[in-house]
Amino acid sequence: MVTNRMLEAALRYAERGWPVIPLHTPTDYDRCSCNNTDCARVGKHPRTQHGLSDATTDPKTIGKWWSQWPKANIGVITNDLVVIDIDPRHGGDESYRDLIAKHGQGLTQTLTAVTGGGGQHLIFARPDGVHIGNVANRPGYAGPLGPGVDVRAYGGYIVAPPSLHQSGTRYQWEEEGEQPARLPLALYELLTARPERQVEHETVSAADILNGVDAGGRDWALFRLAAKLRYADVPYDWARTLVLEAAANARPPFPANEALKKLDSAYRRYEAGKGAFVGNGESRHAE
């Protein structure tokens, strides 16, 4: 029978298909179990010889690790996840509030952990076939989500509950049984946009497009709306109604038959839950 709290948690993550790795642990003397008095990653770096490449979902290996290091913190590999790491000490809470104000509460509706340092990990499922890398803010550089908001995705990992933070506080889930939601489209766009496309146009919400766009932006906006609907796996009939509504609300109205070509092109081009970041050049060829 499993009695070690850390081992129990590590095995639960493995059952979810999340590879885990044992991490060092803060000691009673506010130091790291690695015994490096200058350690800058107290309780946050791997214990094993090959680091993240040793991560596994194998119960036997996990059991062996936590038998050897019963207090080891838990690292979860994020190759198949996209974790939004909000650090209020560097203004991350304010940055993310700005994103929520622009893109809606969907940016918060997912599996969430409270970190030992008082921040949050918002854990989303990575869309299939999409590569999203890690983003680390540093002095003089703020990532696409703003100051204090990092991203842990392919090639990264997070410290997972109930790991112990250097502050003496443990990481904890808000609702552990919740499943990670699909990465919201607004985050998907922000995290996959190439720099030249970020200059080309800002992310536009579906609501803005439905309310009507002006001449010069109608072509791109209607195809963008269709791609958003495909990403959200909206049934074609519903999507047809919404695209026609957006076309009618455009200034001047956009021809319905041309709007439906945009819809058909997006639904042919992308699978449900997918969809490329759409630039102006793509919309002109969407037929």
Side-chain angles (χ1 to χ4, degrees), residues 239-275:
R240 185 178 189 275
T241 298
L242 292 171
V243 167
L244 289 176
E245 177 183 345
N249 289 338
R251 298 175 291 270
F254 193 78
N257 63 325
E258 293 299 321
L260 292 178
K261 287 182 181 179
K262 305 296 180 187
L263 174 64
D264 290 341
S265 178
Y267 271 60
R268 285 196 312 269
R269 182 178 299 190
Y270 307 130
E271 297 178 26
K274 298 184 180 180

Side-chain angles (χ1 to χ4, degrees), residues 123-186:
I123 301 176
F124 295 98
R126 176 183 60 82
D128 291 340
V130 174
H131 176 81
I132 295 177
N134 298 293
V135 176
N137 286 270
R138 57 185 182 274
Y141 170 75
L145 304 186
V149 184
D150 291 346
V151 179
R152 301 287 179 259
Y154 189 84
Y157 71 103
I158 57 170
V159 182
S163 296
L164 181 66
H165 188 266
Q166 186 179 11
S167 64
T169 302
R170 289 195 177 273
Y171 293 71
Q172 58 183 334
W173 295 112
E174 291 188 353
E175 293 186 24
E176 182 174 0
E178 190 173 358
Q179 292 297 318
R182 178 187 295 159
L183 183 69
L185 183 60

Side-chain angles (χ1 to χ4, degrees), residues 85 136 144 249 287:
D85 183 358
N249 289 338
E287 294 182 357

Side-chain angles (χ1 to χ4, degrees), residues 66-98:
W66 269 272
S67 294
Q68 182 176 357
W69 303 300
K71 295 182 179 180
N73 278 348
I74 304 168
V76 168
I77 304 301
T78 54
N79 287 353
D80 293 324
L81 303 170
V82 179
V83 180
I84 309 302
D85 183 358
I86 302 172
D87 185 352
R89 295 170 300 178
H90 295 94
D93 50 348
E94 296 180 4
S95 295
Y96 211 68
R97 276 199 296 268
D98 290 342

